[in-house]
């Protein structure tokens, strides 16, 4: 027998040993025993699949974001429910200490450079991306009715500075939960469609999901 043949047989034996180690111990009752083993394996897999599907269902139920872009108006209307009282959602969205925990992309670092919450006051949030680049978001508060309504302009340095985007956020409480309706109004439908094309819906969805997670930590701490 050649040396190459000996190596091949050894490798085969090792592979077979590894496969056998991954299998459950041989049953003592022949075919009936094997049937019982595989029945339990299938039941375990189905249990884990059921748990995973429940997890997905819970995530979808929490993330009920709806986005509407009416054909005849240059607006974007987003509605989202949060499992927390209105006053708490308001605080998380309007107080400087909370904003870095949810604003924008989770892999970026957000710094609140200014947040003057009053009519005529300004806000300015900077995000440092993983590659070191910075995105700066800014605007002016036009109306503040705590904790029901917030109206502000929205812009980015180097982008949308020549476009007027006005955001109106309405907070409604129902059964201890908060329904947030945010309406963004642009100068034209063409501007609205271009804004949507930037992927703003995905950014909003991520920020709202981060608010959910952050609200849960506040509930635990309180």
């Amino acid at each position: 027998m050649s040396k190459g043949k000996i190596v091949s047989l050894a490798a085969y034996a090792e592979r077979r040993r590894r496969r056998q180690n991954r299998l459950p111990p041989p049953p003592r009752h022949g075919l009936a025993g094997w049937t019982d083993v595989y029945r339990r394996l299938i039941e375990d897999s189905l249990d884990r699949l059921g748990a995973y599907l429940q997890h997905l269902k819970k995530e979808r139920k929490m993330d009920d974001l709806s986005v509407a872009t009416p054909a005849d108006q240059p607006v974007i209307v987003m509605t989202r429910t949060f499992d927390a009282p209105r006053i708490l959602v308001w605080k998380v969205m309007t107080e400087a200490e909370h904003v870095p925990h949810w604003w924008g992309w989770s892999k970026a670092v957000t710094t609140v450079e200014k947040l003057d919450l009053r009519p005529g006051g300004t806000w300015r949030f900077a995000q440092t991306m993983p590659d070191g680049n910075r995105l700066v978001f800014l605007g002016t508060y036009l109306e503040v009715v705590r904790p029901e309504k917030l109206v502000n302009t929205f812009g980015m340095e180097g982008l949308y500075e020549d476009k007027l985007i006005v955001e109106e956020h309405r907070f409604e409480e129902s059964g201890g939960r908060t329904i947030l309706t945010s309406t963004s109004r642009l100068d034209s439908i063409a501007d609205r469609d271009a804004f949507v094309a930037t992927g703003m819906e995905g950014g909003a969805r991520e920020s709202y999901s981060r608010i959910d997670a952050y609200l849960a930590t506040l509930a635990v701490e309180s």
Side-chain angles (χ1 to χ4, degrees):
M1 186 177 290
S2 66
K3 182 178 180 182
K5 190 69 172 178
I6 293 173
V7 172
S8 177
L9 289 174
Y12 171 78
E14 176 63 16
R15 288 197 298 271
R16 183 177 180 184
R17 183 186 66 79
R18 291 179 179 177
R19 286 199 300 269
Q20 289 176 336
N21 286 342
R22 290 196 296 267
L23 292 173
R28 297 180 179 181
H29 304 292
L31 180 60
W34 278 115
T35 301
D36 184 62
V37 168
Y38 283 109
R39 178 182 59 79
R40 285 186 281 113
L41 288 174
I42 291 171
E43 288 177 351
D44 180 62
S45 296
L46 290 175
D47 286 343
R48 284 184 284 135
L49 175 61
Y52 179 62
L53 291 175
Q54 287 296 322
H55 172 71
L56 292 180
K57 183 177 180 180
K58 181 179 179 181
E59 282 195 339
R60 287 195 296 269
K61 184 177 181 180
M62 291 177 62
D63 184 1
D64 63 348
L65 175 67
S66 67
V67 181
T69 53
D72 58 343
Q73 298 181 62
V75 300
I76 305 166
V77 182
M78 297 190 294
T79 304
R80 177 64 149 78
T81 304
F82 297 97
D83 192 16
R86 177 172 64 174
I87 187 60
L88 185 57
V89 177
W90 172 274
K91 287 169 65 70
V92 163
M93 294 187 66
T94 60
E95 294 185 2
E97 64 181 288
H98 300 301
V99 171
H101 294 278
W102 62 266
W103 178 272
W105 192 32
S106 61
K107 294 184 180 180
V109 177
T110 299
T111 303
V112 176
E113 297 183 347
K114 191 168 186 179
L115 199 167
D116 185 8
L117 191 66
R118 60 180 179 83
T122 60
W123 63 275
R124 179 184 173 93
F125 306 156
Q127 276 208 308
T128 303
M129 311 306 284
D131 61 4
N133 288 327
R134 274 169 47 94
L135 300 177
V136 178
F137 304 85
L138 45 80
T140 301
Y141 294 110
L142 304 179
E143 189 175 350
V144 180
V145 183
R146 182 181 184 271
E148 301 173 6
K149 181 181 178 182
L150 178 67
V151 182
N152 60 269
T153 62
F154 173 91
M156 292 177 62
E157 282 191 346
L159 188 65
Y160 297 114
E161 289 185 289
D162 59 338
K163 304 289 185 181
L164 180 63
I165 302 177
V166 178
E167 299 179 332
E168 178 183 284
H169 311 281
R170 290 187 175 273
F171 301 75
E172 178 185 356
E173 183 160 343
S174 176
R177 307 182 79 197
T178 301
I179 302 170
L180 172 67
T181 302
S182 296
T183 303
S184 299
R185 181 173 293 276
L186 290 89
D187 289 334
S188 67
I189 291 178
D191 287 343
R192 187 274 310 277
D193 291 344
F195 190 45
V196 171
T198 64
M200 53 78 60
E201 178 180 342
R205 188 178 299 277
E206 180 171 4
S207 289
Y208 289 155
S209 294
R210 295 183 68 194
I211 289 176
D212 264 332
Y214 185 57
L215 286 168
T217 66
L218 296 178
V220 170
E221 290 174 359
S222 61

